[in-house]
Amino acid sequence: MVEVLSSKKDVEVFLSKNKDKCKIGDIIDIVISESVLEDIPTIVSKYGFSMIDGENIGEDVIKVRLEFRQIFR
């Protein structure tokens, strides 16, 4: 079972741990609860990612595909 990131803090912690492992162009998937979907674009851009796709995979659960772009440092 994939871990569902259910708060803004969970997403930020996950991305801060993974941004140092990524190269420009790397794609990662995260699974979030619907309650944080509205905040995702702001959060992911803070860590150098861009949201490129999303898919509803269950009740109140969404898979979001992110690309590491690190446009600004």
Side-chain angles (χ1 to χ4, degrees):
M1 181 73 186
V2 175
E3 179 183 359
V4 177
L5 305 174
S6 58
S7 72
K8 292 188 282 187
K9 182 163 177 88
D10 290 345
V11 175
E12 288 196 20
V13 168
F14 179 83
L15 293 178
S16 71
K17 288 180 181 177
N18 284 281
K19 76 174 192 166
D20 294 331
K21 300 175 188 175
C22 292
K23 302 182 305 281
I24 291 177
D26 284 354
I27 295 176
I28 64 170
D29 292 326
I30 61 173
V31 178
I32 61 168
S33 64
E34 193 174 86
S35 63
V36 295
L37 180 61
E38 189 173 307
D39 299 309
I40 286 298
T42 305
I43 296 169
V44 300
S45 66
K46 178 179 172 181
Y47 292 95
F49 291 89
S50 294
M51 188 166 72
I52 58 173
D53 196 16
E55 176 185 354
N56 188 345
I57 59 172
E59 190 172 316
D60 298 329
V61 180
I62 300 164
K63 180 173 79 171
V64 178
R65 180 159 284 176
L66 306 174
E67 181 179 356
F68 187 66
R69 295 188 178 165
Q70 189 67 43
I71 296 171
F72 301 106
R73 288 190 174 238

